[in-house]
Amino acid sequence: MVTMSEVARVAGVSQSTVSHVVNKTRRIAPETEKAVKAAIEATGYVNDGIAKSLRTGKTNSIGLAISAMSNPYFGEVVHSIEKHLSDLGYSLVLADTHDDPERELRAVRDLLAQRPAGIILAPSADPHEALRQISRRGIATVLLDRVPEQLDPTQPIDAVGVENTEAMSQLVQHLAGRGHRRIALISGRSGLRTSIERTEGYLLGLERSGIRPDEDLIRDGHSEAGPAAQAIKELLALPSPPTALITANNQMTIGAMRGLRELGLRVPADIGLAAFDDFEWADLFDPRLTVMAQPVEELGTLAAEMLIQRLEHPELKPREVRLAPRLIVRDSGGSRN
């Protein structure tokens, strides 16, 4: 059986260089890579991934534990992660956490049983036990989308997400600038870091706009379409209903629009609407939706890059990166001026 060391001898390079070419774990000079590939063809070497996993205790796969993979937002993030990792020779193993701590823990345990090289996790509202299981195994980890308040400097865990507070404040100020004073928020699932930060941003935007907050105008949409539609009906039944509303993710935007249609209300003639998350089809609606667009492709690519960096340099201190969303003003905000 041809070994990697024999390939290295024929190519005139080190065995580690052959390993990087075979496993695509580091960029190699084109001339060197060409020589290694020629030696592989000449010797008939076959990379035995199973044997490698038995020796190292890890495979060439990356585990991705994420909630609501049917959500278009997460679907785009997954696609970006998979593309980047595939280009580097890694395969992606998906597990759906359903944003539930118990199912998240089962998903993480299932992934760990497959001996992944690393894990990317979009954490639930209470990911502590899942993270403890990962830490016990010393698996390189990147937290995606939901960034914790503070990373443990003793654990090899990085985090990447978007800036939520300032972005949501901008959405509120945009609607206030169009004359709206009764601005409602349909927030995400309680306890999620994104939900907390976006609610904080909503309150900050009201303060900056000189608007007194009203607890009746904040409703929990549970990050899903159905509860968001119900929240719309509750909001519009108030003695002093909102003139504009903000939905804190794309699934809730769909639910809110369904609820408004069922009530016979038009956007923006009867009520203004702005949404956190862009859609591929957001500018095809009539009216076109005003949104805070998250850098979805960049988010997924960066999560994958940070994990690879962690695998190559496990001594790195934990890192947190926040990407800036972008306000796209279209027609749905309406005006009370």
Side-chain angles (χ1 to χ4, degrees):
M1 179 178 177
V2 179
T3 64
M4 192 176 288
S5 61
E6 186 172 348
V7 174
R9 181 182 58 79
V10 172
V13 299
S14 68
Q15 186 171 327
S16 63
T17 298
V18 175
S19 176
H20 287 311
V21 171
V22 170
N23 295 308
K24 299 180 180 179
T25 50
R26 183 174 297 174
R27 294 185 182 278
I28 301 297
E31 299 81 6
T32 303
E33 183 176 2
K34 184 177 180 180
V36 171
K37 289 182 176 179
I40 289 173
E41 184 174 350
T43 59
Y45 171 77
V46 176
N47 184 32
D48 190 345
I50 295 177
K52 177 186 175 184
S53 70
L54 291 173
R55 292 193 307 271
T56 65
K58 297 178 182 178
T59 64
N60 218 39
S61 65
I62 301 296
L64 174 59
I66 199 166
S67 65
M69 287 188 287
S70 60
N71 186 318
Y73 165 74
F74 279 120
E76 292 179 42
V77 173
V78 171
H79 175 74
S80 178
I81 292 172
E82 193 280 330
K83 182 180 184 301
H84 190 77
L85 291 176
S86 178
D87 289 343
L88 295 174
Y90 289 91
S91 60
L92 194 64
V93 181
L94 300 179
D96 196 336
T97 66
H98 297 271
D99 267 339
D100 176 75
E102 290 187 7
R103 298 182 73 167
E104 175 183 62
L105 180 57
R106 290 200 299 270
V108 165
R109 283 173 171 165
D110 288 344
L111 290 174
L112 290 174
Q114 299 183 54
R115 297 183 294 188
I119 286 180
I120 298 174
L121 170 67
S124 69
D126 184 14
H128 298 94
E129 182 58 28
L131 290 175
R132 190 177 73 84
Q133 294 285 334
I134 294 172
S135 296
R136 285 177 58 190
R137 297 282 293 273
I139 301 294
T141 304
V142 171
L143 301 183
L144 172 70
D145 187 59
R146 291 88 177 257
V147 178
E149 289 188 88
Q150 187 173 5
L151 295 174
D152 185 344
T154 66
Q155 301 297 337
I157 296 178
D158 302 306
V160 58
V162 300
E163 200 297 309
N164 292 296
T165 306
E166 186 63 35
M168 181 60 82
S169 175
Q170 288 180 35
L171 273 182
V172 174
Q173 291 173 265
H174 166 72
L175 292 173
R178 290 177 172 256
H180 294 288
R181 308 299 290 177
R182 296 283 291 171
I183 303 171
L185 171 69
I186 302 181
S187 66
R189 188 183 300 273
S190 178
L192 292 179
R193 195 66 211 160
T194 47
S195 300
I196 294 170
E197 291 175 351
R198 290 172 193 176
T199 300
E200 290 172 348
Y202 165 79
L203 295 173
L204 178 62
L206 292 178
E207 180 183 344
R208 288 174 171 174
S209 303
I211 300 174
R212 184 187 299 273
D214 183 344
E215 291 183 2
D216 285 342
L217 294 181
I218 302 177
R219 301 290 162 136
D220 188 343
H222 301 281
S223 300
E224 298 176 0
Q230 178 59 35
I232 285 292
K233 296 174 183 178
E234 295 171 1
L235 287 166
L236 272 298
L238 291 172
S240 180
T243 64
L245 63 95
I246 297 173
T247 50
N249 81 353
N250 55 14
Q251 293 292 82
M252 292 187 292
T253 301
I254 294 170
M257 295 180 71
R258 183 178 299 135
L260 292 172
R261 183 184 62 191
E262 292 174 356
L263 292 172
L265 297 177
R266 298 166 299 160
V267 176
D270 299 313
I271 188 168
L273 174 64
F276 213 104
D277 283 345
D278 198 10
F279 302 83
E280 185 178 356
W281 32 264
D283 61 347
L284 300 179
F285 275 104
D286 185 16
R288 300 178 306 151
L289 291 178
T290 290
V291 299
M292 184 62 69
Q294 301 192 66
V296 178
E297 183 175 353
E298 185 180 357
L299 186 68
T301 298
L302 184 57
E305 288 178 348
M306 290 176 72
L307 186 62
I308 297 304
Q309 291 168 6
R310 172 63 60 187
L311 289 170
E312 295 183 346
H313 304 285
E315 74 284 356
L316 289 174
K317 293 182 179 180
R319 299 161 295 170
E320 176 185 325
V321 178
R322 295 284 190 139
L323 302 177
R326 179 169 61 96
L327 176 63
I328 302 178
V329 177
R330 297 186 178 116
D331 309 318
S332 64
S335 176
R336 285 294 184 274
N337 291 326

